[in-house]
Amino acid sequence: MGLLTIGTFAKASRLSPKALRLYDELGLLTPARVDPVSGYRLYAPEQLDRARLVAWLRRLGMPLARIQHIGTLEPAAAAQEIRTFWAQVEADTAARRDLASFLIDHLSRKDSAMSQATTPLEIRYAALSDPGLARSGNQDTVHAGARLLAVADGYGSEGARASAAAVDALRHLETDGLPAGSLLDVLEDAVELAQHAVNGSAGSGTGTGAEAGTTTSASTTSAASSSSPASPEEVGTTLTAMLWTGSQLALVHIGDSRVHLLRDGELFQMTHDHTLVQSMVDEGRLTPEEAAAHPQRSLLLRALGPGAGGRPDLHLHDARRGDRYLLCSDGLSTVVTTEEIHRVLSGTGDPEQAVRELVALANGSGGPDNVSCVVADVVETQE
């Protein structure tokens, strides 16, 4: 078969002549020959496979630069690149879906009585942070109050300052009134304040926070920063916080700290880790078991701090009487199994006892990292 005209090639490849001219200009799909007199582009039949691949990838919404890169790869590597791209698309779609759900739920309540429960509810809570057995300092910060629950896990030479700055930026939510119908704006503003505070804390010098390892029913705990050197770009923190509105909990999450919900005897993980290994699990490149032992399991893809990227996840969650929530840093989740966490949360009546038992389990498993927990129970308001 001889060379194909651009019209014939466009029909066979499902690409328009206009697209083919653009891809030629970009070097993505160069014609086999260009007639020197007429300037007509002519294509070889063996170019159809590449052209069809380009058409399919464009239908996926893949950027042209990435398609050009895929065209240089062997089939197996190209397949992996497509798998990675699609996992990112699904993650972005999930984030937009969460935001859409948040907005739908938020707007559905805007003209109502703001989801007033039949029985007034409140939260009973406790927090505990401990340096663990292998670290000289504690870079976690926890807070538990009548309206705000938060865990931040700092990293880098000023990690303690970063985590404390992030939580301090949210502290005003304990006392400020929440404008009806503006919860989403409140959360966005709070996270922006936290980001600026963390950026400002980077490189500000090493200091000492409050004593770690204390438990109170309304507490903020932070401790001295790590002595390991790091540039400001390597300083930051995770942030996972819940804001109690009377019958709902608004969740802000970025990083790999976690929130678990114990409801009707079942334990649910409410957050998704923003880590390299979790993205590899999402892409099917690792099993959860392989991820747990991966040497880069603590490498974050999203965090607060200079050079850190990504936006936090936002959720609006209806609370029920009898719910129990756990916020924890990865110092707990990486060494204590979900089954053990479930056992403690379901078998321990008092939040203070629960946080002590969870921290003891982490230290009993070697305590390789700082560990912080907040436990909050939803109860009827006491008259």
Side-chain angles (χ1 to χ4, degrees):
M1 182 184 296
L3 296 180
L4 306 176
T5 66
I6 191 171
T8 302
F9 191 80
K11 185 175 182 180
S13 64
R14 305 293 180 90
L15 289 168
S16 70
K18 181 179 179 180
L20 287 172
R21 286 190 287 269
L22 172 63
Y23 299 161
D24 178 19
E25 293 170 3
L26 296 175
L28 181 60
L29 192 59
T30 304
R33 179 171 173 265
V34 178
D35 188 284
V37 177
S38 66
Y40 287 167
R41 293 170 172 85
L42 301 171
Y43 294 84
E46 53 267 26
Q47 290 183 284
L48 280 172
D49 283 345
R50 179 178 174 85
R52 287 166 179 154
L53 177 61
V54 171
W56 293 331
L57 294 177
R58 287 299 290 159
R59 290 180 188 176
L60 287 180
M62 184 177 289
L64 291 175
R66 195 158 187 172
I67 294 174
Q68 191 167 26
H69 171 63
I70 286 178
T72 66
L73 302 176
E74 295 296 324
Q80 182 57 57
E81 184 70 13
I82 295 169
R83 183 181 295 113
T84 300
F85 168 77
W86 191 247
Q88 292 172 345
V89 170
E90 289 184 323
D92 291 342
T93 301
R96 291 196 297 270
R97 182 176 61 243
D98 289 342
L99 180 57
S101 297
F102 185 105
L103 288 169
I104 291 167
D105 202 34
H106 174 69
L107 293 172
S108 297
R109 291 170 167 81
K110 192 168 184 179
D111 295 325
S112 69
M114 296 302 292
S115 299
Q116 292 296 322
T118 303
T119 303
L121 301 174
E122 62 184 14
I123 52 174
R124 185 178 58 180
Y125 43 84
L128 176 62
S129 186
D130 189 272
L133 304 180
R135 302 288 179 91
S136 59
N138 192 346
Q139 295 188 304
D140 288 0
T141 298
V142 298
H143 176 90
R147 297 177 67 174
L148 178 67
L149 312 169
V151 171
D153 181 357
Y155 58 85
S157 62
E158 299 297 331
R161 286 184 178 273
S163 66
V167 173
D168 286 346
L170 305 186
R171 196 189 306 273
H172 69 280
L173 298 175
E174 282 283 10
T175 55
D176 289 356
L178 294 180
S182 300
L183 184 57
L184 182 60
D185 293 336
V186 169
L187 293 175
E188 288 270 317
D189 290 345
V191 172
E192 186 174 351
L193 283 174
Q195 176 69 71
H196 288 313
V198 172
N199 290 348
S201 72
S204 60
T206 302
T208 303
E211 179 184 0
T214 60
T215 307
T216 64
S217 54
S219 66
T220 301
T221 305
S222 60
S225 67
S226 168
S227 59
S228 59
S231 66
E233 290 73 21
E234 295 171 325
V235 174
T237 185
T238 70
L239 178 63
T240 300
M242 301 188 82
L243 179 63
W244 174 247
T245 67
S247 61
Q248 295 177 301
L249 282 161
L251 169 63
V252 177
H253 168 68
I254 187 167
D256 63 351
S257 295
R258 291 181 177 177
V259 176
H260 291 277
L261 164 64
L262 181 70
R263 173 175 284 178
D264 297 330
E266 294 190 55
L267 189 66
F268 306 92
Q269 183 175 326
M270 297 178 62
T271 52
H272 193 72
D273 293 348
H274 301 145
T275 59
L276 174 65
V277 295
Q278 183 60 57
S279 72
M280 295 171 73
V281 171
D282 296 340
E283 294 166 12
R285 297 163 61 187
L286 288 178
T287 66
E289 293 73 24
E290 290 170 334
H294 197 280
Q296 293 182 303
R297 61 186 176 274
S298 297
L299 184 60
L300 295 170
L301 295 182
R302 287 198 246 170
L304 298 179
R311 297 180 63 83
D313 296 335
L314 298 175
H315 299 274
L316 194 60
H317 175 75
D318 286 322
R320 298 181 189 172
R321 182 172 60 87
D323 283 351
R324 168 166 280 190
Y325 296 87
L326 166 67
L327 288 73
C328 66
S329 63
D330 68 334
L332 179 74
S333 57
T334 56
V335 295
V336 178
T337 65
T338 303
E339 291 75 19
E340 282 292 283
I341 293 174
H342 188 187
R343 179 186 62 79
V344 171
L345 293 178
S346 60
T348 308
D350 183 70
E352 290 198 14
Q353 183 182 354
V355 294
R356 291 183 185 279
E357 288 192 19
L358 290 168
V359 170
L361 280 175
N363 286 335
S365 298
D369 196 1
N370 310 148
V371 56
S372 298
C373 301
V374 176
V375 171
D377 294 340
V378 179
V379 299
E380 292 185 12
T381 300
Q382 300 298 313
E383 297 295 338

